[in-house]
Amino acid sequence: MSRLPLISGRGLDDVLAWRPAGPVTVREFLADAQAVAALLPAGEGVINLCEDRYHFAVLFAACLLSGKTSLQPASHSAETLQRLALDRPGAFGVVDGAFESAGLTCIDFPDLATLPRPQVLDMPTVDADRVVAILFTSGSTGLPQPHAKTWGRLVQNGRAEAVGLGLLDRPPVLVGTVPAQHSYGFESTFLMALHGGCSFWSGKPFYPQDVVDALNAVPRPRMLVTTPYHLSALLASDLAWPALDTCLSATAPLGAELAARAEARGGAPVHEIYGSTESGQLACRRTTDGPLWQLLPGVVLEQENDTTYAREGHVEGRVPLSDIIELKDAGRFLLHGRHADLVNIAGKRSSLAYLNHQLCAIEGVEDGAFFLPDDTAEDTGGITRLTAFVVAPGLSVDVLQRALRQRIDRVFQPRPLVLVDALPRNSTGKLLRTTLQALYQERVAHGRV
């Protein structure tokens, strides 16, 4: 049985985290984790619902030290929590603020300042083969699905990302706008701190001013870990950005034009991470350098019929991917969108991602998304009809439809195109199919267009 350190490549007195009160050393973090571990009640599964990234990290480490499994739902909806409670009897949630628990048994994260801290002299180790976390898909196309992660693979994961992004020589402070429970936030704002030499900011800024304040609160080098949605909002603001050393984006395709604007504003390269909850992160690229992705160290892609599989490295097993991938040489590939995004109308094929890109490229469009409703062909006499929801203050439906006719084949023209004040994006900037279907029912199916 091999064992691996809880934190690698760091001394006990090195800085691991930054909180409003100042830096936190590895030794102080481990003391906090041991103190919290001693307070956790019986029960193997701990649903980590902490919003503060430092609280999340301490609770995760406390689970490692006490033999418990960290359950990390990306969605905190009542449906998700109720399903977790049914599927995992005895599991309990830990929260650090006001929270609608939907009947889930929850305890409050303790006040760390009041806890007796044990003396930390050595780095704890964890069995490499032990399942220490269960991550859940975001539910973009259905109910969130669980995926078990072993400690050994998570250690490899954090190291591989830092190597792939070239961060080992000058590890930055990670400032994330994405929740730590989500696989992207977990890997890129936490695992890279444990095993990639980085440190992290405790908060989860959302609005542009919050992001600027968080970046100003930490020293350089610093890396913003974010999404295209948050980047767009930040660029739309008139705020002055603190100097960045690098920026990382995921959860949705990042357009080259948006990446170039972000690089000009932040003065640093903008990279993307590609992966999934099922596989973990797999590849990265600098968006402005072109469309090719480079696999992270140790990861292998192979194709069988129309499916691409990921294996080796930090990937748990052999994982089928949901995307259309064209393999190139030297561990590189092109990404052509998701299988589920493909739309076939009157014999012509496109992808929702491509259509969304064309829609959002229209001047004056702030946000937008195409949507294929359930049973649309049955409702329209066998003809598939796309809907589009658009945030475009000052533009009319007719103007937008004319602009789209210049960009896309007319068979993909949305019928209807619906103007909305905002799209129902979640905390990672994603649009879930369930929320889009609800918006469709409210605005289209009930005749409110």
Side-chain angles (χ1 to χ4, degrees):
M1 178 188 300
S2 63
R3 298 182 68 84
L4 296 172
L6 198 154
I7 302 169
S8 60
R10 311 291 282 280
L12 291 176
D13 295 314
D14 290 338
V15 173
L16 178 70
W18 293 84
R19 305 183 72 191
V24 181
T25 65
V26 171
R27 190 189 307 273
E28 292 167 330
F29 170 78
L30 293 173
D32 284 341
Q34 289 183 19
V36 171
L39 297 178
L40 293 177
E44 180 192 350
V46 178
I47 305 171
N48 194 334
L49 300 170
C50 293
E51 290 288 316
D52 181 288
R53 206 173 305 271
Y54 185 75
H55 292 170
F56 170 91
V58 168
L59 181 59
F60 183 90
C63 289
L64 289 179
L65 296 172
S66 59
K68 300 181 186 300
T69 303
S70 178
L71 308 177
Q72 298 168 204
S75 168
H76 295 171
S77 68
E79 180 183 30
T80 299
L81 296 179
Q82 289 165 1
R83 186 180 177 206
L84 258 179
L86 289 174
D87 291 347
R88 302 190 177 272
F92 59 92
V94 179
V95 300
D96 59 356
F99 189 83
E100 292 292 333
S101 62
L104 178 72
T105 300
C106 288
I107 63 173
D108 291 326
F109 187 86
D111 181 356
L112 294 175
T114 66
L115 301 183
R117 284 179 175 77
Q119 186 177 16
V120 175
L121 300 176
D122 301 297
M123 178 63 66
T125 60
V126 180
D127 177 8
D129 295 327
R130 178 181 140 203
V131 172
V132 298
I134 297 178
L135 275 59
F136 293 79
T137 57
S138 63
S140 298
T141 57
L143 288 174
Q145 298 298 313
H147 293 276
K149 306 292 180 178
T150 59
W151 180 240
R153 299 294 175 134
L154 292 182
V155 170
Q156 288 179 277
N157 189 319
R159 178 76 177 183
E161 182 176 8
V163 171
L165 292 173
L167 302 180
L168 292 184
D169 290 339
R170 194 166 175 249
V173 184
L174 309 171
V175 175
T177 65
V178 289
Q181 288 83 1
H182 187 275
S183 57
Y184 168 46
F186 179 60
E187 293 164 335
S188 298
T189 69
F190 180 53
L191 291 184
M192 275 212 299
L194 294 188
H195 300 290
C198 303
S199 56
F200 66 92
W201 171 246
S202 62
K204 189 189 74 174
F206 184 83
Y207 296 107
Q209 184 64 63
D210 299 331
V211 175
V212 169
D213 290 345
L215 291 170
N216 277 321
V218 300
R220 297 183 68 181
R222 49 198 170 207
M223 180 168 87
L224 178 62
V225 181
T226 190
T227 71
Y229 172 71
H230 291 100
L231 267 183
S232 294
L234 199 54
L235 283 166
S237 74
D238 294 327
L239 299 171
W241 293 20
L244 292 175
D245 294 277
T246 188
C247 181
L248 188 65
S249 177
T251 76
L254 177 64
E257 186 271 340
L258 178 61
R261 288 170 55 209
E263 290 194 348
R265 188 86 165 265
V270 176
H271 296 270
E272 288 181 90
I273 278 287
Y274 166 73
S276 67
T277 305
E278 297 91 330
S279 65
Q281 54 203 355
L282 299 174
C284 60
R285 69 176 180 180
R286 182 176 178 179
T287 314
T288 55
D289 283 348
L292 283 172
W293 293 85
Q294 179 67 53
L295 288 173
L296 295 180
V299 176
V300 174
L301 295 185
E302 57 189 15
Q303 293 180 321
E304 186 176 311
N305 299 321
D306 293 333
T307 303
T308 302
Y309 295 85
R311 62 178 179 86
E312 303 300 330
H314 56 269
V315 179
E316 302 274 1
R318 184 172 183 257
V319 179
L321 304 179
S322 301
D323 296 290
I324 304 166
I325 288 172
E326 179 184 346
L327 297 181
K328 299 292 186 179
D329 60 353
R332 298 180 300 170
F333 63 89
L334 290 171
L335 188 62
H336 295 300
R338 297 176 67 86
H339 287 287
D341 276 352
L342 290 180
V343 180
N344 189 327
I345 301 177
K348 296 186 177 182
R349 290 159 60 93
S350 188
S351 73
L352 294 178
Y354 172 80
L355 296 173
N356 290 343
H357 172 73
Q358 294 301 324
L359 174 61
C360 292
I362 297 172
E363 186 174 355
V365 172
E366 295 181 357
D367 199 4
F370 277 78
F371 177 63
L372 182 62
D374 294 336
D375 302 324
T376 180
E378 294 180 13
D379 298 338
T380 55
I383 302 172
T384 302
R385 295 295 192 200
L386 291 169
T387 295
F389 298 106
V390 189
V391 181
L395 297 184
S396 68
V397 170
D398 287 343
V399 167
L400 290 165
Q401 291 283 29
R402 284 198 298 271
L404 275 175
R405 279 195 286 271
Q406 303 300 313
R407 293 176 167 272
I408 64 176
D409 193 292
R410 63 189 219 173
V411 301
F412 301 114
Q413 201 78 15
R415 298 179 178 87
L417 185 150
V418 184
L419 293 172
V420 295
D421 293 331
L423 293 181
R425 295 186 180 274
N426 66 11
S427 58
T428 62
K430 284 190 174 184
L431 289 168
L432 305 187
R433 177 166 181 81
T434 52
T435 56
L436 283 176
Q437 184 67 38
L439 182 60
Y440 175 82
Q441 290 295 329
E442 176 191 353
R443 296 296 304 274
V444 180
H446 293 169
R448 286 190 53 202
V449 178

